[in-house]
Amino acid sequence: MRTYLVTGGAGFIGSNYIHYMFRKYGNSIRIINVDCLTYAGNLENLKSVEDRENYTFINANICDSEAIGKIFAENEIDRVVHFAAESHVDRSIKDPEIFVKTNVLGTLVMLNAAKAAWELEDGSFKADKKFLHVSTDEVYGSLEEEGTFFYETTPLDPHSPYSASKASSDMLVKSYIDTYHFPANITNCSNNYGPYQFPEKLIPLIINNALQGNKLPVYGDGKNVRDWLYVDDHAKAIDMVQEKGRIGERYNIGGHNEKQNIDIIHIILRTLQEMLSEDDPRRKNVREDLITYVEDRKGHDRRYAIAPDKIKEEIGWYPETMFEEGIKKTIAWFFENEEWMKHVTSGDYQKYYEDMYGGK
Ligand code: NAD
Ligand code: TYD
């Protein structure tokens, strides 16, 4: 039985990935989820898997080399899927240090622990061991012109402390591939959306605020473009890269779904109106006049767009979920999981929101 070590599995993409993997492989794999449960880590995301015999949660920090080394010493790990990171650009602008600690040093700890466990005396590696580093398209910087795309060969040109820390971790992984022939892949994915996404990110924030009749903050002119991918498609891509990708290669993952932020907000408002029943009291809250232009994000990248050609040609992956379908599934999930939203938006989140948006 193949054993996966998933870092950051209590976060948004990590928990969706764990659900995807159990749906796909059932009891034929084992997953160990290592997460130190920051504000973004939530074990509620994993309630339906926590009793499985082939699932284990370990509360540990990826910067703690002793704790991570112990996990490798006590388990024969076959796959590492490394999600754990600080992931929010706005937070990185306010407090970059934790981004460097977790994203850079934490990745180094993961690489060293896997290398120590998998390396043989002659410097080669045990057969069929693989490390996948989950990264972002933001490492490539910003595209100004329409019709241009990020390719795997696009030079790294990060602008925010978040993307700089992710680019640094990509480079560390690359250095292990180049220096030690360490069996790793890097994936650079565009913006994800879907169930369990923390409402500091655009899509869940807009859904949550609109349902409550709160202002919908738009940074700058609202015309920044992101390429949105439904999270299950990302989970599938990660699995396919790990099983079918060429070792040592980088693969871009994207939705072929570029949209301006303001258009995303209009689509969400329209979809909420369609999906809420006539007598639902939240219906009257969902209004266009909630849209509020606020101060722009510092260093705000204008446009991201991924060319997922290599992953399609080599591996056969392509984005399956159309945005209209994905956003309906996402909204339906938020309707069904009001308690989840209540829990994550209490406490620390309220303070974050007040600091970030001035209590609006
Ligand atoms: P998230 O913020 O929702 O989750 C991060 C998880 O990592 C949380 O469970 C948190 O508790 C855990 N974590 C943080 N620091 C840790 C530490 N020091 N030790 C152990 N666990 C720690 O993030 P996400 O949106 O799910 O993103 C996951 C990964 O995917 C990140 O590496 C991110 O850079 C990358 N990514 C995200 C997107 C996106 O749109 N969200 C797009 C492309 C790539
Ligand atoms: P975000 O979800 O934070 O993802 P990222 O910055 O990693 O792409 O933001 C997506 C886009 O939405 C980005 O251009 C910033 C913008 N945005 C707003 O306009 N208002 C908001 O309240 C947030 C959180 C983001």
Side-chain angles (χ1 to χ4, degrees):
M1 185 189 279
R2 208 188 272 156
T3 298
Y4 286 76
L5 179 57
V6 174
T7 70
F12 162 50
I13 307 177
S15 56
N16 278 286
Y17 169 81
I18 290 173
H19 289 299
Y20 172 84
M21 293 298 278
F22 282 136
R23 279 200 306 274
K24 175 157 185 204
Y25 294 103
N27 290 331
S28 69
I29 58 165
R30 190 160 78 97
I31 295 182
I32 300 171
N33 171 20
V34 181
D35 196 301
C36 73
L37 303 179
T38 68
Y39 78 91
N42 184 355
L43 290 180
E44 243 182 294
N45 301 0
L46 294 159
K47 261 211 163 92
S48 64
V49 305
E50 68 188 10
D51 292 333
R52 294 185 76 106
E53 283 186 2
N54 55 342
Y55 170 77
T56 310
F57 170 69
I58 299 176
N59 187 339
N61 193 312
I62 56 163
C63 298
D64 181 346
S65 51
E66 218 171 285
I68 300 298
K70 190 162 173 269
I71 298 169
F72 277 92
E74 290 175 356
N75 300 277
E76 186 61 46
I77 304 294
D78 302 298
R79 301 281 184 270
V80 174
V81 184
H82 178 39
F83 293 99
E86 288 292 333
S87 69
H88 190 36
V89 174
D90 292 323
R91 287 182 191 254
S92 83
I93 293 167
K94 285 188 182 238
D95 180 15
E97 198 172 320
I98 185 70
F99 283 73
V100 175
K101 280 190 184 142
T102 296
N103 300 1
V104 186
L105 293 177
T107 298
L108 185 67
V109 167
M110 292 307 303
L111 288 167
N112 282 336
K115 180 171 172 288
W118 294 348
E119 198 170 26
L120 298 168
E121 271 180 18
D122 65 358
S124 66
F125 288 89
K126 290 182 186 169
D128 200 28
K129 301 290 187 189
K130 296 177 185 179
F131 185 111
L132 191 140
H133 176 61
V134 179
S135 191
T136 164
D137 59 357
E138 303 191 25
V139 299
Y140 297 121
S142 180
L143 296 163
E144 302 303 320
E145 276 171 51
E146 254 183 64
T148 52
F149 294 94
F150 295 137
Y151 293 90
E152 287 77 358
T153 48
T154 302
L156 304 194
D157 181 24
H159 297 137
S160 71
Y162 164 66
S163 55
S165 69
K166 291 299 290 189
S168 308
S169 61
D170 286 18
M171 289 313 229
L172 275 174
V173 177
K174 184 178 177 305
S175 78
Y176 273 56
I177 294 167
D178 294 347
T179 307
Y180 309 111
H181 302 295
F182 181 72
N185 288 103
I186 301 169
T187 54
N188 294 90
C189 188
S190 61
N191 287 60
N192 284 213
Y193 68 100
Y196 305 111
Q197 188 167 27
F198 195 79
E200 64 186 356
K201 304 277 168 59
L202 180 71
I203 288 184
L205 186 144
I206 296 298
I207 296 172
N208 186 41
N209 282 18
L211 287 172
Q212 296 185 48
N214 291 336
K215 288 184 180 167
L216 310 177
V218 184
Y219 298 168
D221 64 3
K223 293 186 177 160
N224 297 63
V225 171
R226 298 293 182 264
D227 170 5
W228 294 95
L229 179 71
Y230 190 62
V231 65
D232 270 358
D233 285 348
H234 188 188
K236 182 173 182 177
I238 287 170
D239 181 42
M240 287 178 79
V241 166
Q242 209 162 35
E243 296 320 313
K244 297 185 179 168
R246 282 184 294 138
I247 290 288
E249 291 291 312
R250 174 192 290 276
Y251 292 92
N252 282 353
I253 304 169
H256 270 314
N257 179 44
E258 290 173 52
K259 291 207 176 352
Q260 292 186 348
N261 295 334
I262 191 67
D263 293 336
I264 291 285
I265 294 172
H266 285 303
I267 294 171
I268 292 174
L269 290 175
R270 214 172 40 238
T271 314
L272 283 170
Q273 282 290 355
E274 278 166 27
M275 290 175 70
L276 286 166
S277 61
E278 291 286 337
D279 57 351
D280 194 309
R282 294 171 299 180
R283 202 155 199 250
K284 65 172 189 337
N285 294 342
V286 179
R287 301 188 319 267
E288 297 273 329
D289 66 7
L290 296 174
I291 293 174
T292 308
Y293 287 86
V294 299
E295 193 187 330
D296 206 358
R297 174 185 279 173
K298 288 189 176 71
H300 196 175
D301 285 339
R302 192 63 176 167
R303 174 172 165 264
Y304 302 144
I306 278 275
D309 302 356
K310 178 174 169 181
I311 189 171
K312 180 154 191 235
E313 277 157 27
E314 286 190 16
I315 296 176
W317 179 91
Y318 58 93
E320 285 173 48
T321 312
M322 301 309 285
F323 189 73
E324 291 63 28
E325 180 197 345
I327 200 71
K328 276 190 189 143
K329 280 202 225 176
T330 304
I331 289 173
W333 187 87
F334 280 107
F335 282 172
E336 283 158 23
N337 292 275
E338 272 190 300
E339 283 301 307
W340 182 93
M341 186 59 97
K342 272 189 199 143
H343 293 164
V344 300
T345 52
S346 60
D348 282 351
Y349 179 77
Q350 278 173 7
K351 182 169 179 327
Y352 165 80
Y353 201 87
E354 270 159 35
D355 289 349
M356 181 70 205
Y357 298 99
K360 282 181 193 130

